[in-house]
Amino acid sequence: KDGYAFPVTGDGPWDGHRFERIQNMGDGCQPIEWTVDGQQKKIRYKITSANEDDDWVAVGLSENGGMRGADINIVKEIGPNVYAADDTFSMETEMPKSDVLQNTKLLSAWRDESGRLVGVIEKDLDTCDKDDLLIEPYKQHLICASGRGVTEDGDITYHGRNRHSNTVNLLLDEELLMDRKFPVDVDLSKGVEVEPGIIFYDDPGTATVPYAVDVNLLDVTLDQKATTSYMCRVFTNINPMQVVAYEAVWDNGTTVATGTPPEYLHHELLLHCAGDRVDMDHMDGQPFDCYKDMPACDATFNHAKSGLIQSPPGTSVKMHPGVFVLQVHYDNTYQVPIKNDSSGIRFWVLPDEQAKMTQSGNIVNHVGQLASIRIPADPLQRDFPLQMMISSEATRATLPETGIQVFGVSLHMHKAGLRGRLQLIRDGENILDVYDYRSYDFNMQAPNLKRWRILPGDAMVVTCIFKPNKDTDIVGGLRTEDEMCNFAIGFSPELPNYRSGVGYLVKPDEPFRKSFIGNVPNTTRGLYMPEDLAPFAPDKRGWVDLRDYREDYCEMAIRDETSLFSFNWGDANVYALYIAIGTFFACLFLEYLVPSLKNIQNLRAKRNAVICIIQLVFSTGFLIPLFVLAAPIFKSNDTFNAYEVDTYNALRGIIATQILLYVLELFYKLKIRVEVVVHHIITAALFIFLNHVAAYSYAFEYATKLGAILILLAMLDQPKNLALLLKYLGYANTKWWPTLCKVAAVWYMASKLAVISVAIFFMYESSASGNEKSWSVPGHSFSKWMPDYKLNDTVVIGVVSAMMFLLMLDQIFTTRVLWKLALKVGTDGLADDEPDGEKDLIETAMPASASASSTDSDGDSKGIRGTTRAQDIESHFDDTDDNAALNQLTSV
């Protein structure tokens, strides 16, 4: 069965459904199951809460494994056996917020036999919503949580310890096909300490699987009041090692697989020192304070607040023989005691025979030179961006002709860091955003494992966005309260002449400065390298933006799903052809369906009567469906379902049909007056404009709401059309017809005033309150790819108000004519010598007007005789001068 057919209440029709993949999620929830539908480009999750009686369970993706920059899908029980889904996002470590565009579809939910909450949800792999994370074919951070408590407003309560994250490729079972398997618990008793703090857990010559090597500091004790400390040790590696994974280690062999890292352990760095760069005073392996005494060496491995980092299959990173420096950054914000600490890095190394069969790679750190970083104080704490470039000249001089394959990248800032972006520029075009972090997390600096390629001549532009202090400037430095802007890339093949990168930061409105990639001279460190030592000239600004370069499948998908016009000549509207053909046959055969029409000899009067019948049938038959379809979208819309647009299309279909009937009427009627043409053209232009608003602002819900209100100007004309139709059929001289005509006039004016008042209130309320969230769709969703059309609600209010004013003038005139006609017929009847100007008034203001007909008092042949009198008058007025009507309109 189609999953959309399943209800969201009941005993769980998906209970026995099988899913393709499963992933253990620790304390956060029961194992998550999922299937990727490659044909529909969707993913379906089955999620189960950790405990019985949990009221909600959530699954999502995170940029770094935590709450910051997370896209979270929540299933919650909002009443007994009643469930709902919420598409949320989080930029801080706080309650996630509901996304404006709700892209999460709840297929089913129930309680299992243990009382745990189970939900099946579905989501597009790419929702084209910037508050959602794209599901991509590489490892991403999968998160889940569950908890008890849902407030009356539908908000979930805090999950406590029921949370977990894992690094998973959702599209490909990479863990099964390509990952190496490492033991969770290393047998510490087998460790051989080849020198103090350097421990091998297997023999490289006899091992058959990757084995662990720990490189630790020795017995570090720090001043408890020191919030920032950098401790280093120097050691010598005798034999080359091919590293396929690495992770943090502390407390005599503990890793994230077996424990929780201390809060004060911020990052670990391994640097390779060439030749005479090592201070021989520190060759004893003992730890030393390297905050101001950092050796000028190249970073080869860096790890910060994340779990196990692996290289792709067939790839490894070589740890060459030579002198290395292990650096550990302690961020002791809470000033806890640090005594006898032995933190470091655990490397997973290939046995010698396997090492021969892999391609060696590099991990290269690109640093923003510290002296170029200055973030001025700002009392308003507005975002402050800085950028640096690794220029096309630098990569052209350094990379091989075939380029390098990147398998991972990480960003590093300190606590003022908000967001970061890495752009790849090729031949003057921004062809890729390697990462565009929505929310940087200093405490969870996990790498991005997207795979991409750099060719010689490519440029890399890094943007770091900071939150300034209110009172003091922030400068570049090693302290936590200082700032950095660094990024590291892991790539293959290994390049001996590419060990470091240096950039010089500027503001986005300033020209780029020089850059450096290569091996840092032994007279300096990259963080402090003077710009005159950087040999490569910068590129100029002015590349083609990614949204202009990219084939915008998001925009095409949204236009297709919501049936938005592109306003191109090639966009044929087949629906218009259907309406035109249907109207033609209705006009052709209506005379046979309504026998009284045969008695009308005057062609002009007959066509007016046909128009009245068609308008009566359509406006009456579709008025209730209009209200039914419009009702759901007039509720409060802090969010709305991006995947459910059928209601909008059905509403717009009714609106478009009414407008098409107006346009076709212009071609069907005979000797139609200019004022009627203007009325119909203004009405059509109004709805063309609303379609333009939807097409180029993406505020299609706002445009549909306004269109549904304004179309009532045309669809509440039943009394007027009925009165005119009866007149054409010969009932104008009955005693009750003048009363009907007066009622029609009063209803006509009252309904127009009511509709226009509602439209004015809707536009004012939407603009003043800011509650009309569909105007924020561009800002929340696809603005990254949208041109800036400067189209907003102020423009819409101005244009619509002007058009409504013109229509109101016409409608006042029409009401006056109806009323005057009722008075004239009621007092004198309709005579053959009726003044020319009165007939012109009727024809001027009414799309389906005609002169009144008479009825004999004896009742014999009253329809025929009355119609004949009306036809005579109709004939008479076909040739009358138009000046009387124009004068009357001017006076109004």
Side-chain angles (χ1 to χ4, degrees):
K1 289 185 179 181
D2 183 359
Y4 289 101
F6 285 109
V8 296
T9 60
D11 58 357
W14 284 75
D15 193 10
H17 191 84
R18 292 181 298 170
F19 292 83
E20 294 180 354
R21 303 272 304 279
I22 188 169
Q23 176 66 48
N24 191 342
M25 296 301 291
D27 295 332
C29 59
Q30 295 296 311
I32 292 175
E33 301 175 63
W34 73 94
T35 294
V36 174
D37 188 331
Q39 300 302 314
Q40 294 188 2
K41 310 300 182 191
K42 296 178 183 294
I43 186 169
R44 295 187 189 99
Y45 296 100
K46 179 182 177 183
I47 52 178
T48 305
S49 64
N51 305 301
E52 63 273 12
D53 299 328
D54 279 341
D55 297 307
W56 62 269
V57 59
V59 63
L61 294 177
S62 170
E63 290 176 332
N64 46 50
M67 288 290 291
R68 288 178 181 264
D71 168 21
I72 305 168
N73 310 284
I74 302 172
V75 176
K76 52 193 174 182
E77 185 172 19
I78 57 176
N81 204 33
V82 179
Y83 308 93
D86 195 5
D87 182 5
T88 69
F89 68 97
S90 175
M91 297 301 174
E92 300 290 341
T93 51
E94 61 185 18
M95 183 72 65
K97 299 176 181 178
S98 291
D99 194 347
V100 169
L101 282 176
Q102 289 288 299
N103 294 292
T104 303
K105 190 173 189 68
L106 180 60
L107 301 181
S108 186
W110 67 94
R111 293 281 179 179
D112 66 12
E113 62 279 1
S114 300
R116 290 186 289 254
L117 176 61
V118 184
V120 178
I121 58 175
E122 182 177 71
K123 197 166 189 175
D124 289 340
L125 300 179
D126 185 356
T127 63
C128 299
D129 182 346
K130 80 177 185 65
D131 289 329
D132 293 337
L133 293 181
L134 175 65
I135 297 175
E136 300 193 78
Y138 56 84
K139 285 190 174 183
Q140 295 176 280
H141 300 286
L142 183 68
I143 61 175
C144 84
S146 53
R148 297 180 181 178
V150 176
T151 68
E152 292 182 358
D153 296 330
D155 295 329
I156 62 174
T157 56
Y158 182 56
H159 49 63
R161 297 183 61 84
N162 287 340
R163 67 185 189 273
H164 194 78
S165 68
N166 247 320
T167 306
V168 182
N169 186 332
L170 292 169
L171 300 182
L172 173 68
D173 197 345
E174 188 173 326
E175 293 77 17
L176 174 66
L177 299 177
M178 293 182 280
D179 272 7
R180 302 175 179 92
K181 306 301 179 185
F182 304 104
V184 173
D185 296 318
V186 173
D187 188 350
L188 301 179
S189 65
K190 294 183 178 180
V192 176
E193 195 168 34
V194 296
E195 65 174 272
I198 312 297
I199 305 170
F200 280 66
Y201 291 96
D202 210 333
D203 185 342
T206 60
T208 58
V209 295
Y211 59 92
V213 175
D214 288 352
V215 178
N216 302 321
L217 295 177
L218 298 172
D219 297 328
V220 172
T221 299
L222 298 175
D223 181 357
Q224 185 173 344
K225 296 182 179 180
T227 56
T228 298
S229 302
Y230 284 80
M231 299 300 293
C232 294
R233 68 161 294 180
V234 180
F235 70 95
T236 302
N237 180 43
I238 300 175
N239 298 311
M241 296 188 291
Q242 296 295 135
V243 177
V244 292
Y246 59 100
E247 57 189 325
V249 64
W250 65 93
D251 194 21
N252 297 318
T254 305
T255 66
V256 291
T258 55
T260 302
E263 290 289 340
Y264 57 75
L265 192 58
H266 184 262
H267 76 250
E268 306 80 37
L269 194 64
L270 190 71
L271 304 103
H272 181 223
C273 306
D276 56 358
R277 289 194 236 171
V278 180
D279 185 342
M280 300 305 293
D281 291 341
H282 298 302
M283 291 298 293
D284 57 3
Q286 293 301 310
F288 64 95
D289 185 345
C290 52
Y291 174 65
K292 294 182 179 180
D293 187 18
M294 193 79 70
C297 305
D298 298 313
T300 55
F301 297 93
N302 58 307
H303 185 280
K305 298 283 187 178
S306 58
L308 182 73
I309 299 175
Q310 293 191 52
S311 64
T315 306
S316 59
V317 179
K318 181 177 287 188
M319 184 186 295
H320 291 272
V323 177
F324 287 82
V325 175
L326 171 65
Q327 175 205 105
V328 177
H329 175 196
Y330 295 89
D331 176 33
N332 195 12
T333 303
Y334 301 105
Q335 297 184 343
V336 300
I338 301 176
K339 296 181 179 180
N340 302 320
D341 184 79
S342 58
S343 299
I345 304 177
R346 171 168 292 172
F347 298 96
W348 291 92
V349 181
L350 288 177
D352 292 346
E353 291 302 315
Q354 294 182 24
K356 299 174 183 177
M357 301 164 58
T358 63
Q359 173 71 57
S360 185
N362 289 40
I363 298 176
V364 174
N365 200 27
H366 302 74
V367 300
Q369 196 244 22
L370 294 180
S372 67
I373 299 176
R374 178 169 291 276
I375 304 160
D378 180 2
L380 300 179
Q381 294 187 295
R382 291 164 293 193
D383 292 1
F384 188 83
L386 289 173
Q387 292 182 319
M388 70 176 181
M389 169 182 277
I390 303 299
S391 69
S392 59
E393 182 179 300
T395 61
R396 189 177 295 110
T398 309
L399 302 186
E401 184 178 351
T402 55
I404 54 176
Q405 177 64 50
V406 180
F407 52 78
V409 60
S410 63
L411 171 68
H412 179 71
M413 297 184 285
H414 288 172
K415 291 188 176 180
L418 292 176
R419 298 184 300 281
R421 183 182 184 189
L422 173 56
Q423 298 167 269
L424 182 66
I425 312 298
R426 180 174 297 163
D427 300 327
E429 295 175 326
N430 178 193
I431 66 167
L432 177 67
D433 275 359
V434 176
Y435 60 74
D436 188 1
Y437 288 134
R438 307 180 301 174
S439 184
Y440 173 77
D441 191 342
F442 176 71
N443 294 313
M444 298 195 76
Q445 300 183 35
N448 180 304
L449 301 177
K450 182 182 292 185
R451 290 158 190 181
W452 48 289
R453 200 167 188 90
I454 310 177
L455 298 179
D458 290 351
M460 291 178 284
V461 176
V462 179
T463 304
C464 292
I465 300 175
F466 301 97
K467 180 180 181 180
N469 290 334
K470 291 184 177 181
D471 304 315
T472 58
D473 292 355
I474 301 175
V475 297
L478 300 178
R479 299 179 306 166
T480 303
E481 56 266 35
D482 298 330
E483 267 308 330
M484 288 183 165
C485 181
N486 303 346
F487 75 99
I489 60 173
F491 62 84
S492 185
E494 179 184 19
L495 299 179
N497 62 333
Y498 187 5
R499 298 290 185 185
S500 294
V502 182
Y504 301 84
L505 291 146
V506 298
K507 291 185 288 187
D509 58 351
E510 297 175 340
F512 285 113
R513 295 164 65 178
K514 289 182 176 181
S515 58
F516 170 87
I517 56 175
N519 297 328
V520 176
N522 57 19
T523 57
T524 185
R525 292 184 59 220
L527 290 168
Y528 305 104
M529 180 186 288
E531 191 173 1
D532 56 10
L533 293 181
F536 301 116
D539 297 354
K540 294 182 179 179
R541 293 185 180 273
W543 56 82
V544 176
D545 191 73
L546 181 60
R547 72 178 182 183
D548 297 322
Y549 168 79
R550 175 188 178 186
E551 183 69 34
D552 192 359
Y553 294 106
C554 282
E555 181 175 351
M556 289 190 294
I558 294 298
R559 287 190 179 279
D560 176 69
E561 187 175 5
T562 55
S563 299
L564 294 179
F565 296 114
S566 63
F567 285 88
N568 294 323
W569 286 112
D571 187 10
N573 193 343
V574 179
Y575 179 71
L577 300 179
Y578 294 155
I579 297 300
I581 293 171
T583 305
F584 168 76
F585 283 108
C587 295
L588 186 63
F589 294 112
L590 202 55
E591 182 175 343
Y592 300 97
L593 299 174
V594 183
S596 299
L597 292 177
K598 295 180 180 179
N599 299 325
I600 304 177
Q601 301 302 315
N602 184 282
L603 181 59
R604 188 180 189 194
K606 181 180 290 188
R607 289 195 174 186
N608 286 342
V610 168
I611 289 170
C612 286
I613 294 173
I614 292 175
Q615 291 286 11
L616 270 170
V617 171
F618 178 79
S619 61
T620 304
F622 283 90
L623 187 60
I624 293 177
L626 178 74
F627 284 116
V628 171
L629 291 170
I633 67 169
F634 276 94
K635 62 184 180 182
S636 175
N637 71 331
D638 290 338
T639 66
F640 59 93
N641 292 333
Y643 56 82
E644 234 171 55
V645 295
D646 291 342
T647 298
Y648 308 149
N649 290 342
L651 269 177
R652 285 160 52 198
I654 295 175
I655 295 169
T657 301
Q658 177 62 70
I659 301 306
L660 283 168
L661 290 176
Y662 267 170
V663 174
L664 293 172
E665 181 182 323
L666 298 178
F667 293 93
Y668 183 67
K669 294 183 71 172
L670 298 177
K671 296 184 180 180
I672 190 167
R673 294 191 55 81
V674 173
E675 292 81 1
V676 177
V677 173
V678 171
H679 171 270
H680 286 10
I681 292 299
I682 290 175
T683 305
L686 176 59
F687 288 94
I688 290 173
F689 174 71
L690 290 179
N691 271 287
H692 183 84
V693 171
Y696 290 107
S697 71
Y698 289 87
F700 39 82
E701 183 162 291
Y702 177 88
T704 305
K705 287 179 179 179
L706 191 53
I709 295 171
L710 293 175
I711 202 61
L712 292 174
L713 291 172
M715 295 186 69
L716 293 176
D717 288 352
Q718 291 90 343
K720 183 200 78 171
N721 287 324
L722 179 61
L724 293 175
L725 176 62
L726 291 174
K727 180 175 73 69
Y728 291 134
L729 295 178
Y731 295 95
N733 281 343
T734 60
K735 293 180 180 180
W736 49 265
W737 191 87
T739 302
L740 175 62
C741 196
K742 290 180 182 180
V743 171
V746 172
W747 172 264
Y748 187 81
M749 194 68 247
S751 64
K752 305 309 177 195
L753 288 173
V755 170
I756 289 177
S757 298
V758 171
I760 291 172
F761 174 78
F762 170 75
M763 291 189 293
Y764 171 78
E765 196 272 339
S766 298
S767 177
S769 68
N771 290 333
E772 182 50 56
K773 291 299 182 182
S774 64
W775 273 111
S776 64
V777 168
H780 274 266
S781 301
F782 7 91
S783 58
K784 193 172 183 178
W785 316 115
M786 282 180 59
D788 187 2
Y789 288 103
K790 307 296 184 186
L791 186 61
N792 54 42
D793 57 346
T794 303
V795 175
V796 175
I797 290 172
V799 174
V800 171
S801 298
M803 291 184 175
M804 285 196 306
F805 175 75
L806 295 175
L807 288 173
M808 195 63 195
L809 290 180
D810 178 89
Q811 290 152 359
I812 292 172
F813 186 61
T814 301
T815 304
R816 175 181 177 273
V817 171
L818 283 170
W819 190 264
K820 194 168 184 179
L821 178 61
L823 292 176
K824 188 70 175 178
V825 174
T827 55
D828 301 333
L830 202 60
D832 288 342
D833 59 349
E834 199 70 61
D836 292 353
E838 192 64 51
K839 176 63 183 72
D840 278 347
L841 282 175
I842 299 169
E843 175 64 24
T844 296
M846 300 182 191
S849 62
S851 57
S853 56
S854 62
T855 305
D856 284 350
S857 59
D858 59 7
D860 293 334
S861 305
K862 60 180 180 180
I864 297 175
R865 290 200 301 274
T867 302
T868 303
R869 293 189 65 196
Q871 291 161 0
D872 291 340
I873 295 170
E874 192 78 53
S875 253
H876 171 71
F877 285 121
D878 282 349
D879 301 322
T880 55
D881 186 8
D882 293 342
N883 290 332
L886 292 176
N887 291 334
Q888 291 287 349
L889 180 61
T890 303
S891 69
V892 173

